[in-house]
Amino acid sequence: MKSIKFLIVFIVIIGLASCSQTKKESQQISESEKQIAKKIDGLLSQMSYAEKMGQLSQVVLKKSDDNLEQQIRAGKVGSLLLSAGSIPSVAKRNEMQRIAVEESRLGIPIIFGHDVIHGYKTIFPLSLAQSCTWDTLLVKEAASLAAKEASAFGIDWTFAPMVDVSRDPRWGRIAECFGEDAYLNGCFGAASIKGYQGEDVANPEKVVACLKHFVGYGAAMGGRDYQYTEISERSLHEVYLPPFKAGVDAGALTVMSAFNDINGIPSTANEKNLTQILKNKWQFPGFVVSDWDAVEHLTHHGMAADSIDAGVKALHAGIDMEMKSLIYPKIPKGKIDGEKLDEAVRRVLYVKFRKALFANPYTDEKRQDSELLSKEKRALARKVAAQSMVLLENNQVLPIRKGKLVVSVVGPFAKEKQLMGWWRSEGNEKDLVSASKGLKDNAPAGVQVIDEVNASTDVIIACVGEKRNLFGENNSRSDIRLPNNQSEFIEGLKKHKKPIVTVVFNGRPLNLAAEKQNSDALLIAWHPGTEAGNALADLIYGNENPSGKLTTTFPAATGHIPMYYNHRNSGRPELNTYLHQLVKPLYPFGYGLTYSVFKYEDIQLSSSKMNTKGSFELSAKITNTSKTEGTEIVQLYIHDLVGSTTRPIKELKGFKKISLKAGEAKEVKFIVKAKDLAVLNADLEPVVEAGEFEVWIAPNSDKGLKASFTIEASKN
């Protein structure tokens, strides 16, 4: 009965994902799923209890020795986790796989996992930075090339993308998500999955993706990593779950549970979220892996009496594979429900079949030589980095063109090589281009770049920021100003009475009030990865026009946190203040400057009314009124004025990235569908409510052209 249930789930998922395919292609996929289910049945019928538990165990590879090889031979290793710095040679990886396939009783291959978060050897910008490109195709391409590089070194599975909505920049892992908006996290999460897994994850150049962390991890109390979360059912379903649903719909084959306790139930033991919602309601066909030691952590949460109790509760809740602590094999037979155990094993085997590890378990050793830091990958890394940087201020200082100028590049990050972020996989600092080197190597004719400020200086470029150990996992900060007296350093440069361009290499939104006051231009560079300095030079010298826009709000004070654009109004919205302070962002969500000037005008609706099943076209004219060709990110926002529940003051519902030549105008169109404006009713089911709405076509969440429309109740 259980195998029939799983076969139905697999076929339903494939059916939903292949609506655009031909009938013949769909039939072929369904037949393939039937064959996979049949093979899984055959293996399960032969497996011992120990072998089943082995498939649910992920061992951290520290070194390959006789003991590990014996475990593999005995069928006790379902997956190997390869940490940065401990990745074996492809030959050694293949040897371990050979033992599993040729010397274990059932020949079940190992799936090799590694954190390929934003690049493997060629490091792309942080995920948060990538979202500032507002370009899903570009993010998909970066993930695809990262997969190509990683798979050449024997990696089958990455633990990305992270789609945890985060609205607290104190939290270090905000660097790893795609910003504060649920819709954007869903868009970029789906794009990443399609990049990692491709059309067919069985392709040797693709890797299995992993949505993480399910769910609510980004709402950690006080922005302190691992802490518990209090999330209402409405916020859970409107904010934190939707990006995961988008990822499941995009075909993600694995999901990682979160560390946090959510409303009193740790994520690792949360049967409602893991099984009822993820597996049953959404019909997710793959497997769920715990985070590092998270099953063992149930004892610290006070949810389990000991490790065995923790393992039983985690597996019964829906954790199919346990990472690192190896508790599952220690659980005595009889403590685990047999159907639950078989279901977990089925899911792991299903992913291994989908990845074609049974048919092609080995990695071609020749690939690694051609894939490493290729020109193609470096060029893409440079492009993504340039488009992810966000220009916040520019008092006619940038770009620096040809001419007899002396540019002083100074500051603690001028020659910094640790600009790959907290997750850097196999990235090497020796391969990274520093800000100073990039600006020197790419300087226009007549521009001299020096490392100090002296009497000959014409422009100062101050490079400041956060080192990689100030953000990322378990690197939360109580003060989000620039650390280590860097603000004072910038202020001290004013004595030279020269224009100051401040470049910030950061991993989170920062309070840059002092930098705004003391800089003539202000550029957010994030941790841009391997091509950091070259990408920076492209923008500074005008070879590329800045186009990035923020996907998180930059607050004017740490005490204003949490601050995000799509908040709800109170009954006294005019009193949304602190004593003697207005609560207004320093830089709002969606904000970013270019070297061009764009004019928004003539907002038009094809109809000001539609029914609950209808749609209309919305358009505006965007004109580049400057003499510089540029790219603009046009954003669509909606506000439901009166509803059965209170609604955010604005909600992002779409965006388009357009390029305009000097003087060129384009009509930008959006299709607004009533179904996309659905809200959750008292039973948390989506419904389209009649009423009045406001709509904006805008350059950011704080401005734009405004119109209104009505949704009328449909007649029965």
Side-chain angles (χ1 to χ4, degrees), residues 165-170 174 179-182 185 218-219 230-232 235 238-240 509 550-557 560-570 576 578 583-590 637 646-652 701-702:
V165 174
S166 179
R167 294 163 168 179
D168 193 332
R170 294 172 299 183
I174 195 171
E180 70 186 40
D181 183 78
N185 271 277
E230 294 290 346
I231 301 173
S232 71
S235 291
E238 289 185 344
V239 177
Y240 297 98
L550 300 176
T551 56
T552 47
T553 301
F554 275 45
H560 293 178
I561 297 169
M563 174 172 278
Y564 47 94
Y565 85 94
N566 51 349
H567 61 85
R568 300 194 300 271
N569 264 336
S570 71
N576 182 22
Y578 293 101
V583 181
K584 187 176 180 180
L586 189 65
Y587 298 105
F589 175 90
Y637 294 93
T646 57
R647 303 303 305 154
I649 63 168
K650 283 184 181 178
E651 294 178 84
L652 181 71
S701 62
D702 193 45

Side-chain angles (χ1 to χ4, degrees), residues 118 142 227 242 334 350 401 524 560 592 596 620 623 648 654:
H118 48 95
Q227 301 308 303
Y350 173 72
R401 304 286 192 184
I524 297 297
H560 293 178
S596 306
T623 305

Side-chain angles (χ1 to χ4, degrees), residues 597-707:
V597 178
F598 298 103
K599 182 180 179 181
Y600 284 61
E601 58 186 340
D602 195 23
I603 188 168
Q604 297 285 338
L605 289 74
S606 62
S607 175
S608 61
K609 295 180 181 180
M610 65 175 169
N611 63 32
T612 55
K613 296 180 181 178
S615 65
F616 67 86
E617 184 179 271
L618 179 70
S619 66
K621 180 182 176 183
I622 314 297
T623 305
N624 181 354
T625 61
S626 71
K627 297 181 180 180
T628 304
E629 181 176 353
T631 298
E632 174 68 341
I633 296 161
V634 184
Q635 301 155 44
L636 172 68
Y637 294 93
I638 298 284
H639 178 211
D640 185 350
L641 288 170
V642 179
S644 59
T645 63
T646 57
R647 303 303 305 154
I649 63 168
K650 283 184 181 178
E651 294 178 84
L652 181 71
K653 292 295 182 179
F655 57 92
K656 292 192 175 180
K657 191 171 184 177
I658 62 169
S659 294
L660 293 172
K661 296 178 181 178
E664 184 182 7
K666 283 184 181 179
E667 184 181 30
V668 177
K669 298 179 180 180
F670 294 95
I671 301 297
V672 178
K673 298 178 181 179
K675 68 176 183 178
D676 294 333
L677 308 182
V679 297
L680 301 182
N681 63 16
D683 296 321
L684 299 179
E685 293 297 330
V687 294
V688 177
E689 295 183 341
E692 301 291 325
F693 291 77
E694 295 175 325
V695 59
W696 292 262
I697 291 182
N700 59 64
S701 62
D702 193 45
K703 294 182 178 180
L705 302 175
K706 182 178 175 181

Side-chain angles (χ1 to χ4, degrees), residues 250-265:
L253 285 173
T254 65
V255 169
M256 182 184 291
S257 64
F259 283 118
N260 56 288
D261 155 341
I262 180 168
N263 301 339
I265 307 293

